[in-house]
Amino acid sequence: MARGQEPLLAQDHASSDSDVEEEDALLIGQHKSQSNTKYGWPFWREVGVFAWALIATAAVIIIAVMYQHQQSVQRKDGGGWKDGKPNGKRNMIFMVSDGMGPTSLSLTRSFRQFQSGLSPSDVLVLDRHLIGSSRTRSTSSLITDSAAGATAFSCGFKSYNGAISVLPDHSPCGTVLEAAKKTGYMTGLVVTTRITDATPACFAAHVNMRAEEDKIAEQEIGNNPLGRVVDLMLGGGRCHFLPNSTDGSCRADDKDVIAMAKDNGFSYVNDRKGFNGLNLGSKVKLPLLGLFAGRDIPYEVDRRNMNDVYPSLDEMARTALAALSEATRDSDQGFFLMIEGSRIDHAGHGNDPVAQVHEVLAYDKAFSSVLEFLEKDRVQGVVVSTSDHETGGLATARQLHTTYPEYLWYPGMLANATHSGEHLAYQLRDHLAGKTSDSADDIQSYIRKTLLEEGLGVHDATEEEINSLIDHSDPWPASYVFADIISRRAQVGWSTHGHSAVDVNIYASKPKDARPLRGNHENTEVGNFIRDYLGLDLEPLTKELKEKGALFDTLSPDGTTQSWMGKPVPDEKIVDHVDHYQGDFKRNLELEEEHAHEHMH
């Protein structure tokens, strides 16, 4: 067999002397140095260069990851705070759950768990972001109204019930929204009630009493000492912008505030088609005024059946976030946006648990969308949410009889309802107006089958309850009757149709985002947090309002000067005297006029 064809294992390799020596050295545990090594200097130099390059590359990757993480932590977790002060470009979203107290969360949480078959451990988004609570009293009462409550948020000062960013000494106070605009931030207001209602008004207007909604409308579109300070407004309240010669107006004069807004540069939309054209914010032209209802946008439980007419709170919030984010994309400053779940308060005033749970769920959804926006946005930001007060004295319990009660309440009764008491009351009014020839039996049958069984999910209504609806068929008394019918069966309790003095919750995107608000605080501290987070100085604005205000005074028909902030408020309504018992526990006519539905939220 030729040499090249021999099997490898058959080859005879004679061991050299050096090989034998090496084997002996290994057997006795001593390494024999070899001067004639297999790998020379060039090889080891290449190994060294490769190792150095590998280590350097790993170091660069580690440094990059650490830097990215640090930037993420600073942007997302740190909330823009450094040495106790905010820094860098930032956005502030402030959410107000008007009238929502701690029991509203308990009521809604249990309702949602029942309706969706969820476990008791399943909670609302808000529940996971609770950081503190707020004390709510005003200067004139232990029980605040929304005007004094929102003034604490907007100005950082306590004031009297009814004050729209005006202090007890009758002077205007600069607001965080006004200061934000003057500092270079973009600004927005989103609500489900009238845009002229107390909470939104307190950020962009100054009047002595909240009932001056005509004046508020004019100031919000820029007819005030500071000029236009709001870039985006979405909500209801169209009637206060239309001249009284126009159908659908509720103004006392013939001013066309929508035309005035357009003259001030506002683009305007007033219906679902116009809102859809905004494409959830990507086709917004700022400044924007969007008024989608004559007065208030319907309760969510009713609006969902009219989705082709009215946008939801969540849709309006997402539109505002996208529009303001895009508008500030290339600017040094971010934006300030106030979003209000306005009609939680109305549901409390109406003692309507059905409307209440759906309003809170709608607010929770909007809060979730804001969190999602902050998580994805390239600019650092924070959301803080709280209530101006609690409404209704709500309790998830009800004493129905004189005997000792069972510890029960029934969320399933609320799940059976398809409409609010308000909606059913208007339905009853319209039916009676159009069926004047109906017999008493026909009316009773309509109320029992259409309104109570189909609308409220109640199949055991008593004759007394049906007759009460007939006897009190005007919408507001009737809505209270509908609400009481469902509340009794769900065993949900209410102590008032007004507000209460209970502390309200504070929520934030993350505890680190709002360290100063952890724990229990005065409501003014919420306003101070907004001011500090955005790095604002409100004093120059307050000074400017005082100096220029007289230029916006007007002459009344009798030739007297009328303040730009409206009629003065008597001192007895400003000072703290109503917390002392006056000997009369009944509501008099004056109070009934003051707290009519239009002005009691």
Side-chain angles (χ1 to χ4, degrees), residues 443-574:
I443 295 173
Q444 285 193 350
S445 177
Y446 173 78
I447 291 174
R448 182 183 297 278
K449 293 181 180 180
T450 303
L451 302 183
L452 293 175
E453 294 182 3
E454 296 177 13
L456 214 55
V458 171
H459 296 267
D460 60 348
T462 66
E463 291 294 323
E464 181 182 2
E465 289 172 327
I466 293 175
N467 289 333
S468 180
L469 286 167
I470 295 174
D471 295 339
H472 303 91
S473 58
D474 287 339
W476 285 112
S479 70
Y480 289 170
V481 176
F482 281 117
D484 186 61
I485 289 173
I486 191 67
S487 290
R488 289 177 65 84
R489 285 160 176 78
Q491 290 191 204
V492 172
W494 306 88
S495 62
T496 177
H497 281 291
H499 299 170
S500 76
V502 70
D503 289 359
V504 294
N505 292 342
I506 300 175
Y507 305 90
S509 38
K510 294 178 182 177
K512 291 182 179 180
D513 290 346
R515 285 190 184 94
L517 294 178
R518 290 187 290 190
N520 184 259
H521 301 273
E522 284 293 339
N523 54 7
T524 52
E525 295 178 68
V526 176
N528 293 338
F529 172 82
I530 299 172
R531 177 199 65 197
D532 294 342
Y533 182 79
L534 294 177
L536 306 175
D537 185 359
L538 275 56
E539 283 300 318
L541 272 296
T542 299
K543 183 178 180 181
E544 186 175 351
L545 285 165
K546 293 177 179 178
E547 291 176 349
K548 295 182 178 180
L551 299 176
F552 287 80
D553 290 345
T554 57
L555 287 177
S556 60
D558 61 4
T560 59
T561 300
Q562 187 177 37
S563 169
W564 68 282
M565 296 188 297
K567 299 176 183 178
V569 179
D571 287 339
E572 60 265 23
K573 293 187 179 295
I574 294 176

Side-chain angles (χ1 to χ4, degrees), residues 112-146:
R112 177 173 171 270
Q113 290 167 356
F114 176 89
Q115 186 184 49
S116 301
L118 304 173
S119 72
S121 62
D122 191 278
V123 297
L124 301 173
V125 177
L126 283 164
D127 288 322
R128 298 194 291 268
H129 293 270
L130 176 66
I131 65 167
S133 61
S134 168
R135 306 185 294 273
T136 63
R137 72 154 298 161
S138 70
T139 62
S140 61
S141 177
L142 287 172
I143 300 179
T144 189
D145 80 328
S146 293

Side-chain angles (χ1 to χ4, degrees), residues 54 94 365 385 465 501 586:
L54 186 63
F94 178 52
K365 183 178 181 181
S385 167
E465 289 172 327
K586 295 181 179 179

Side-chain angles (χ1 to χ4, degrees), residues 91-290:
N91 300 322
M92 171 82 211
I93 300 101
F94 178 52
M95 298 187 68
V96 180
S97 46
D98 197 322
M100 186 179 82
T103 310
S104 299
L105 275 294
S106 177
L107 182 86
T108 305
R109 187 187 311 118
S110 295
F111 167 79
R112 177 173 171 270
Q113 290 167 356
F114 176 89
Q115 186 184 49
S116 301
L118 304 173
S119 72
S121 62
D122 191 278
V123 297
L124 301 173
V125 177
L126 283 164
D127 288 322
R128 298 194 291 268
H129 293 270
L130 176 66
I131 65 167
S133 61
S134 168
R135 306 185 294 273
T136 63
R137 72 154 298 161
S138 70
T139 62
S140 61
S141 177
L142 287 172
I143 300 179
T144 189
D145 80 328
S146 293
T151 295
F153 301 148
S154 65
C155 293
F157 291 108
K158 297 276 189 180
S159 196
Y160 58 91
N161 286 359
I164 300 295
S165 293
V166 172
L167 301 180
D169 65 358
H170 309 285
S171 65
C173 53
T175 75
V176 290
L177 183 144
E178 293 167 338
K181 182 61 179 176
K182 295 297 183 180
T183 309
Y185 291 87
M186 300 293 279
T187 61
L189 299 170
V190 173
V191 301
T192 52
T193 184
R194 305 174 308 286
I195 199 71
T196 52
D197 201 10
T199 301
C202 281
F203 288 88
H206 304 269
V207 295
N208 291 314
M209 188 53 67
R210 58 182 297 173
E212 301 264 14
E213 293 193 48
D214 290 355
K215 283 187 176 294
I216 291 169
E218 295 174 47
Q219 292 188 28
E220 286 180 333
I221 57 95
N223 285 20
N224 67 76
L226 300 179
R228 183 180 65 78
V229 293
V230 192
D231 295 299
L232 178 147
M233 288 183 280
L234 302 176
R238 189 168 54 241
C239 71
H240 287 288
F241 291 77
L242 298 172
N244 61 6
S245 57
T246 304
D247 185 37
S249 172
C250 58
R251 287 189 65 86
D253 57 34
D254 62 351
K255 290 184 180 179
D256 187 342
V257 184
I258 291 174
M260 293 163 59
K262 292 179 178 178
D263 290 341
N264 285 350
F266 279 91
S267 55
Y268 175 63
V269 291
N270 66 349
D271 56 19
R272 176 50 116 159
K273 181 179 179 181
F275 178 81
N276 290 344
L278 303 176
N279 200 31
L280 288 179
S282 66
K283 294 185 178 180
V284 168
K285 178 185 177 183
L286 298 177
L288 170 67
L289 175 64

Side-chain angles (χ1 to χ4, degrees), residues 89-91 181 184-187 231 286 320-336 373 377-379:
K89 183 178 179 180
R90 53 201 177 275
N91 300 322
K181 182 61 179 176
Y185 291 87
M186 300 293 279
T187 61
D231 295 299
L286 298 177
L321 288 167
L324 294 175
S325 178
E326 176 60 26
T328 57
R329 182 164 56 93
D330 299 321
S331 67
D332 294 331
Q333 301 284 30
F335 63 80
F336 170 73
F373 168 83
D377 193 46
R378 61 188 178 86
V379 179

